[in-house]
Amino acid sequence: ARRLLAALMELRVLRRFRHPNVVLLHGAVVDQARGEIALVYEFLSGMLLHELVDRRPGLTPFDRFQILYATSSALSCLHLHSPSIVHGDLKPHNIMMEETRAGFR
């Protein structure tokens, strides 16, 4: 019941939230028979931040700046949202980085 309530709260808060550095929530799938809900997010083709740092030790200072900027921009937008959104478990294992032609997002 606690996990279901947490998922419903996340769905309620993020259903209309948009930011280029925050994964887009598309919706949810509910299994009434099992009392479970699964949140459906956009697909990202990238890697977790801890993997990126481990696999690319030669990241340039500008690459590192882009990663920090993208992450802090997303967090700032979440915190300025009304009501404020707090991630609650921010760590390199929970940050997905996608490399585009323009850089990291």
Side-chain angles (χ1 to χ4, degrees), residues 31-78:
D31 184 341
Q32 291 180 336
R34 296 174 71 185
E36 295 179 353
I37 185 170
L39 301 181
V40 180
Y41 290 93
E42 73 175 304
F43 175 79
L44 293 181
S45 59
M47 63 180 74
L48 296 172
L49 181 56
H50 80 94
E51 295 171 331
L52 179 65
V53 171
D54 288 346
R55 294 180 187 173
R56 303 253 317 258
L59 288 173
T60 68
F62 186 70
D63 291 336
R64 292 175 186 273
F65 168 79
Q66 284 184 317
I67 291 166
L68 287 170
Y69 183 81
T71 305
S72 61
S73 173
L75 286 173
S76 177
C77 192
L78 289 169

Side-chain angles (χ1 to χ4, degrees), residues 75 78-79 85-91 94-95:
L75 286 173
L78 289 169
H79 293 174
I85 302 169
V86 177
H87 188 283
D89 193 20
L90 188 64
K91 58 188 175 187
N94 290 339
I95 298 174

